[in-house]
Amino acid sequence: DQGQDDYGLAHGLQQRGGLVCVITPGADAVASIRAARPSHVVFISPSGERDLHRAIDRGLHRLLDWVRALGEHPADVSLTLLTQDVLDVTGAEPLDASQAPSIGALKVAQYEYPHIRCRHIDLSAASSATTLIDELCSTNQDVSVAYRGGQRWLPGLAAATIPPTAPPFREGGTYLLSGGFGGVGLTLGR
């Protein structure tokens, strides 16, 4: 959407047999969806914006326009959000938090509109066009992917061991309860 085909997506996807329609910033999302009837939309989030309000307008608000337009589109469709250096993968890369609100909106969109399959790809500035095009054309089901140093990273959870601690309250202790004056505070205090 952003008119920034810095990665050569249009050309690379066309070479792989895709029918590509590039939409410039400010285009009417609903009219574009009706005209193109896409099966896959790639939204390129603007990066490097220093003014947070402008970044939210150019990124989050335009993404939401596309989500709403796709919500009216009756067919199943994929929506990929493409960001640059938003996710903290290695702990050493510089981050661009101005694009982060769009990730949150994308996560909610798939629940609001079940026919939209949402994905997020976060690239580093050094990522290649080939890497991105391979990811877009792959059949994997990964919802969030990051590329750093030529490596593909997926989010995950690891079990943590929590050491036993002393009970938070002690017999005969003095405690200050703050908040409302309803019955919950009195009940807890007793």
Side-chain angles (χ1 to χ4, degrees), residues 4 6-7 44-49 58 83-85 96 98-99:
Q4 313 169 343
D6 300 339
Y7 297 101
I44 302 173
S45 182
S47 61
E49 183 65 59
R58 291 181 65 219
T83 60
Q84 183 175 322
D85 294 319
D96 181 1
S98 69
Q99 301 170 76

Side-chain angles (χ1 to χ4, degrees), residues 16-117:
R16 298 226 185 156
L19 178 62
V20 178
C21 178
V22 177
I23 308 299
T24 58
D28 181 287
V30 173
S32 298
I33 299 279
R34 286 184 184 149
R37 295 189 315 248
S39 61
H40 195 151
V41 172
V42 178
F43 183 89
I44 302 173
S45 182
S47 61
E49 183 65 59
R50 297 199 184 277
D51 179 355
L52 184 58
H53 295 290
R54 184 167 159 77
I56 288 174
D57 184 52
R58 291 181 65 219
L60 174 64
H61 292 160
R62 288 188 184 163
L63 174 65
L64 290 174
D65 288 343
W66 282 95
V67 167
R68 283 187 212 102
L70 289 170
E72 296 177 16
H73 185 58
D76 288 348
V77 63
S78 294
L79 172 61
T80 299
L81 171 64
L82 180 61
T83 60
Q84 183 175 322
D85 294 319
V86 176
L87 301 178
D88 186 7
V89 176
T90 66
E93 68 266 50
L95 300 178
D96 181 1
S98 69
Q99 301 170 76
S102 296
I103 299 169
L106 189 75
K107 288 180 180 181
V108 172
Q110 59 195 1
Y111 296 107
E112 293 288 326
Y113 303 102
H115 69 284
I116 301 176
R117 180 181 177 268

Side-chain angles (χ1 to χ4, degrees), residues 169-173 175:
F169 300 106
R170 64 174 190 234
E171 190 73 33
Y175 301 95

Side-chain angles (χ1 to χ4, degrees), residues 117-160:
R117 180 181 177 268
C118 298
R119 292 186 69 206
H120 172 228
I121 301 173
D122 189 50
L123 302 171
S124 68
S127 297
S128 72
T130 303
T131 298
L132 176 57
I133 293 166
D134 287 346
E135 184 66 41
L136 287 171
C137 294
S138 73
T139 58
N140 71 54
Q141 299 295 313
D142 299 321
V143 175
S144 183
V145 178
Y147 282 90
R148 299 292 187 274
Q151 298 296 312
R152 186 174 189 269
W153 296 81
L154 298 173
L157 300 174

